[in-house]
Amino acid sequence: IGLPVPDGFAITTAAETAFLDNSGLESAIRAALDRINRNDCDAAEKLTSELRTRIISSDLPEKLEAEIFAAYEALEKASGQNVRVAVRSSAVGEDTAASFAGQYHTELNVSRDSLIEAYKKVIASRFTARAIQYRRRNGFEEEDTRMGVACLRMIDSVASGVIYTIDPVEPDSGIMRSSRPQKPSTG
């Protein structure tokens, strides 16, 4: 429909796999997921919190970190300015009949200095007790919901709104739905 889209770059699901495999987290994740008890919310919250902390504190493979910084630097060079990005989830299966809206972390106004930590926070957000239970209720296996991450240049808005490219209530209708654009407040 010809709307402008901010420049950015994607960090693939293969990057998440490399990160989790290289850091030894993949086996720790599997072990933690096997121990989650649906009937003990407090224990599930504690277990998943520890898992997310471990993910965020782990190092990325050097090559992956260098590739993320190179993509960021290319984005900065193309825009000719210091860039801030939105770092957001793009998990496999998240735009299906089982909507994952609001399940995963988004980090806004991210600079180069906080890019890697923001990436790891988004990856870790796949492992909240709520997100895990939601995926299980909807029949998703963990290996089927790998996390890609989109890094989009932040822009100053003139107006804002929401558009659904597919009507969420009638997905086969071919109709787009939108909210009324809102002008930013000036007070």
Side-chain angles (χ1 to χ4, degrees):
I1 58 177
L3 296 175
V5 176
D7 291 332
F9 59 93
I11 306 172
T12 67
T13 58
E16 182 208 38
T17 300
F19 168 43
L20 298 180
D21 284 348
N22 197 322
S23 61
L25 289 166
E26 190 66 48
S27 59
I29 289 167
R30 288 185 194 282
L33 294 176
D34 288 344
R35 292 194 325 262
I36 289 179
N37 179 345
R38 293 178 189 220
N39 300 318
D40 188 347
C41 293
D42 290 338
E45 286 295 335
K46 184 178 187 305
L47 184 65
T48 58
S49 176
E50 290 168 358
L51 185 57
R52 289 190 310 277
T53 298
R54 188 167 172 194
I55 290 168
I56 292 166
S57 65
S58 294
D59 292 328
L60 294 183
E62 287 180 22
K63 182 180 179 201
L64 174 57
E65 190 169 309
E67 289 173 354
I68 292 171
F69 283 138
Y72 179 86
E73 289 159 7
L75 184 61
E76 261 193 340
K77 184 176 180 181
S79 72
Q81 60 185 348
N82 291 334
V83 171
R84 301 276 180 180
V85 293
V87 181
R88 1 180 346 114
S89 69
S90 184
V92 174
E94 91 176 270
D95 291 325
T96 63
S99 171
F100 287 72
Q103 298 261 342
Y104 303 128
H105 183 71
T106 295
E107 208 54 35
L108 301 176
N109 289 314
V110 176
S111 67
R112 183 187 192 283
D113 293 340
S114 54
L115 182 58
I116 299 303
E117 182 176 346
Y119 169 72
K120 291 188 290 186
K121 284 179 180 178
V122 172
I123 295 299
S125 72
R126 189 161 72 92
F127 301 102
T128 64
R130 182 180 72 144
I132 292 164
Q133 295 297 1
Y134 183 82
R135 288 192 302 272
R136 287 178 175 176
R137 273 194 314 274
N138 284 285
F140 288 93
E141 298 292 329
E142 287 305 315
E143 55 273 1
D144 296 334
T145 59
R146 292 293 182 178
M147 183 74 77
V149 175
C151 298
L152 299 171
R153 186 172 57 89
M154 298 287 299
I155 58 170
D156 294 328
S157 65
V158 174
S160 65
V162 175
I163 189 166
Y164 296 92
T165 55
I166 296 175
D167 184 330
V169 177
E170 298 179 57
D172 296 329
S173 69
I175 296 173
M176 285 197 290
R177 297 276 181 216
S178 66
S179 69
R180 196 175 95 227
Q182 303 293 315
K183 296 215 179 218
S185 64
T186 58

